[in-house]
Amino acid sequence: QVQLVESGGGLVQAGGSLRLSCVASGRTFNNYGMGWFHQAPGKEREFVAGITGSGGNAYYPDSVKGRFTISRDNNKNTLYLQMNSLKPEDTGVYYCAARSRLGVRSQSSEYDYWGQGTQVTVSS
């Protein structure tokens, strides 16, 4: 069992930056591929970043490539998402998720554990 707790959300102006964190407790953190998902109001959860268990490979959809950076510190059991050049359409709840495999997938159904989410609001 893995528990995930996100933090770092808030209100920011368009063009600004935020850094989200996700602390994991439970079993060995580096055994899990990790992802960040974004859910805008009234929309489905969408993949915005993923990172392999070792942290050696990261994946992004085109919508955030060059603006978002995912990283992890396996010694601290912590996942990060650095978000730069934020846009109003980035508004929503951000969830971190863990899957019981080392690799990354973009489908939310591939993930076994979820945090409670942290709200990000980007004003225009």
Side-chain angles (χ1 to χ4, degrees), residues 9-51:
L11 174 64
V12 64
Q13 287 188 332
S17 298
L18 281 175
R19 188 194 198 201
L20 307 184
S21 299
C22 172
V23 177
S25 61
R27 299 203 147 188
T28 308
F29 183 57
N30 61 1
N31 284 347
Y32 293 85
M34 299 295 296
W36 284 101
F37 287 78
H38 165 234
Q39 188 164 22
K43 295 190 176 181
E44 292 189 357
R45 209 168 287 190
E46 62 177 5
F47 173 80
V48 295
I51 191 167

Side-chain angles (χ1 to χ4, degrees), residues 60-75:
Y60 309 91
D62 289 344
S63 57
V64 306
K65 201 171 291 183
R67 300 190 299 123
F68 289 10
T69 303
I70 189 172
S71 61
R72 65 192 296 164
D73 185 337
N74 286 341
N75 292 324

